[in-house]
Amino acid sequence: DHQVFALHRALADVILVGAGTVRSEGYRAVDLRGWQHALRASEGLAPYPTLVVISGSLRLDPGFVAPPYEHGPVIIVTGSNRSEEDVRPFAEAGSQVLRSPDPEVSLRWLVADLAARGLGRILCEGGPTVHRDLMADGLLDELSLTPAPSAVGGVGHRSTSGAALAERADFDLRFVLLGDDQTIFTNYRRRAESRRPAQGVAG
């Protein structure tokens, strides 16, 4: 699963995450291994994917954008109601800050803005609210799920979180891979009738 995760990162223009995921999982600006750099070069991609973090509150440590290793660029996306004083620490740490036209970040605006920058291949790594909102806006093209043959119990969480979708999101299976440890790697493509123009997001 880690190898598939790394492969997705190696092929993405953008890694899109919500601020909650950054805080809970300790995200940093993206670094890559040698084989990932070689794959990106062979595909004509930039040396690193851009980490794009959505944060309405900006409750983030600005230092996460500049870890002590070679890394890719970071873009912080927030609402129009955030002042220059609010965003200055992130700019000073080395990130670019984008403000949505509205107080709430519009994912349709964000995807279109990234596409205009030539960043059309977007990998969403969470959290579940961002994942749900991408689906709700018809912006999710592909879905990768990995069922593992182990039961651990505990409190389960869905890959999406929030209000029920106004329209059901339907997908078609593209492929299934069976790992040596019986882990199943799946990839689904959203049906054309439930997608909207100008996407390129995978989750």
Side-chain angles (χ1 to χ4, degrees):
D1 190 53
H2 288 293
Q3 183 70 12
V4 172
F5 181 84
L7 180 60
H8 280 305
R9 283 190 155 206
L11 293 171
D13 295 319
V14 166
I15 295 171
L16 176 66
V17 291
T21 298
V22 171
R23 289 190 295 267
S24 64
E25 299 189 17
Y27 266 63
R28 296 290 184 268
V30 179
D31 63 338
L32 299 175
R33 297 196 287 267
W35 70 266
Q36 291 170 300
H37 282 297
L39 180 57
R40 293 183 70 82
S42 70
E43 293 290 318
L45 300 174
Y48 291 94
T50 298
L51 178 64
V52 176
V53 178
I54 300 172
S55 178
S57 68
L58 293 179
R59 287 192 299 106
L60 293 167
D61 176 4
F64 88 93
V65 307
Y69 53 75
E70 190 173 353
H71 57 79
V74 177
I75 297 176
I76 307 295
V77 184
T78 192
S80 61
N81 56 335
R82 291 297 159 190
S83 67
E84 285 295 328
E85 183 177 354
D86 292 334
V87 305
R88 185 178 299 115
F90 297 95
E92 291 176 347
S95 66
Q96 181 179 359
V97 180
L98 297 182
R99 290 188 185 87
S100 178
D102 302 305
E104 185 123 352
V105 174
S106 164
L107 291 177
R108 291 184 196 174
W109 162 82
L110 175 58
V111 169
D113 185 274
L114 293 173
R117 297 166 185 262
L119 304 175
R121 190 181 295 184
I122 303 170
L123 172 65
C124 177
E125 293 183 352
T129 300
V130 176
H131 200 210
R132 179 260 172 212
D133 291 346
L134 287 168
M135 282 193 187
D137 284 345
L139 296 171
L140 193 74
D141 288 344
E142 295 183 27
L143 180 64
S144 294
L145 297 173
T146 304
S150 301
V152 296
V155 179
H157 297 281
R158 297 187 180 192
S159 63
T160 61
S161 177
L165 301 179
E167 297 181 12
R168 190 178 68 188
D170 294 317
F171 294 81
D172 291 318
L173 181 66
R174 294 180 67 204
F175 63 80
V176 176
L177 299 175
L178 178 63
D180 292 338
D181 63 352
Q182 303 303 299
T183 297
I184 298 173
F185 303 96
T186 68
N187 182 271
Y188 295 84
R189 181 82 177 175
R190 191 160 185 177
R191 291 181 186 168
E193 63 270 17
S194 60
R195 281 188 279 138
R196 296 195 179 137
Q199 302 106 179
V201 183

